[in-house]
Amino acid sequence: MEKWISELLVDQQKVSERQVRILEAAIESFSEKGYASTSTSEIAKRAGVAEGTIFRHYKTKKDLLLAIVGPTMSKVVAPFMAKNFVDEILKDEYYSAEQFIRAIAANRYEFVKKNTPMIKIFLQEIAFHDDIRENFKPVFQELIYKRIAPIMAHFRECGEIRNLPDATIIRLVSSTLISFFITRFIVIPEHPWDDEKELEDTIQFIMRGLRNETADQKD
């Protein structure tokens, strides 16, 4: 998992091999048992370090959680959960709303599949930590309304999608995708999923809700 941790911490200062092991152990433990039920001694044992080593890097268990959730905030924030995601998606030109949403769905599917333990921690803890929740708000504004909303507005103004507010369009798309990802990777991952079909059905469900039927009738 070390490569995964390094990618998660790409925007932070270089971390030592011991820190990587500590973060790896914390992610596994928090994901399995939850933050409240995990002790630093358990994390230390799992990481193969003394408990005091954890506190040399992180003053409290909460600081350790924030070291994981902090990058999560900047890389995985809803509804599409990733800082670099916006750059990856916006590097291409899209000729239809469906093409754009399809690119979002495929990109986020791969990300959630790869980073399920970290996302599980984020979802578990955001409800119980005011500071995490408060930090969520400005990142949401920066990532969504300044970068994604104009694209959705373009397709709406072209008459391709229904005349709904930008916030409503984003909420409908993101909540549907997130619901699928949570069910697929966190709630019942053991289900015999046909991922390709499920993803396609999800995209078509979104498009049926967004499509401008008046424009279709004119055509």
Side-chain angles (χ1 to χ4, degrees):
M1 193 186 293
E2 289 190 12
K3 183 180 178 182
W4 182 83
I5 292 288
S6 299
E7 291 175 358
L8 174 64
L9 299 174
V10 70
D11 294 329
Q12 296 191 2
Q13 294 180 350
K14 186 176 181 180
V15 296
S16 67
E17 182 182 343
R18 283 187 178 182
Q19 279 178 279
V20 169
R21 295 208 310 270
I22 291 168
L23 289 168
E24 179 183 71
I27 288 169
E28 292 172 350
S29 298
F30 289 160
S31 177
E32 291 171 8
K33 299 179 62 176
Y35 170 79
S37 299
T38 299
S39 68
T40 52
S41 61
E42 291 175 288
I43 295 170
K45 183 177 179 180
R46 196 165 196 162
V49 301
E51 188 173 8
T53 303
I54 294 178
F55 294 115
R56 281 201 293 273
H57 295 291
Y58 308 99
K59 293 181 180 179
T60 65
K61 187 174 75 166
K62 180 67 173 291
D63 287 337
L64 178 55
L65 173 67
L66 293 176
I68 297 167
V69 177
T72 304
M73 292 291 301
S74 63
K75 287 177 166 292
V76 200
V77 171
F80 310 116
M81 291 191 171
K83 189 175 184 179
N84 60 348
F85 155 74
V86 177
D87 295 330
E88 291 170 8
I89 292 296
L90 295 187
K91 70 182 180 181
D92 296 321
E93 185 175 354
Y94 300 97
Y95 299 100
S96 70
E98 181 171 343
Q99 185 188 25
F100 181 53
I101 290 170
R102 191 175 292 280
I104 290 171
N107 182 287
R108 292 302 82 190
Y109 169 85
E110 292 300 329
F111 186 88
V112 175
K113 182 179 179 180
K114 181 180 179 182
N115 298 290
T116 299
M118 177 261 289
I119 292 169
K120 184 177 179 182
I121 294 168
F122 178 80
L123 294 174
Q124 287 173 337
E125 305 307 330
I126 191 171
F128 302 104
H129 298 279
D130 291 340
D131 46 354
I132 294 174
R133 195 160 52 249
E134 286 304 310
N135 286 337
F136 179 94
K137 296 175 183 177
V139 180
F140 178 89
Q141 291 288 337
E142 288 294 320
L143 291 181
I144 303 307
Y145 284 93
K146 289 189 177 180
R147 305 293 298 278
I148 302 296
I151 299 175
M152 293 299 190
H154 166 73
F155 291 122
R156 184 187 64 236
E157 290 162 7
C158 290
E160 187 177 342
I161 59 179
R162 295 169 59 190
N163 188 23
L164 297 170
D166 294 342
T168 301
I169 294 171
I170 291 169
R171 176 177 58 79
L172 292 172
V173 174
S174 61
S175 61
T176 304
L177 289 175
I178 290 171
S179 176
F180 167 57
F181 295 146
I182 290 175
T183 305
R184 165 64 181 87
F185 292 107
I186 296 176
V187 178
I188 46 173
E190 69 282 358
H191 180 76
W193 294 94
D194 182 341
D195 287 354
E196 185 175 344
K197 182 178 184 304
E198 291 288 345
L199 202 54
E200 181 62 28
D201 287 346
T202 302
I203 292 167
Q204 292 306 319
F205 178 83
I206 291 170
M207 291 310 304
R208 281 195 294 271
L210 290 182
R211 191 171 286 115
N212 187 345
E213 295 179 358
T214 303
D216 290 344
Q217 292 169 2
K218 288 180 181 179
D219 293 340

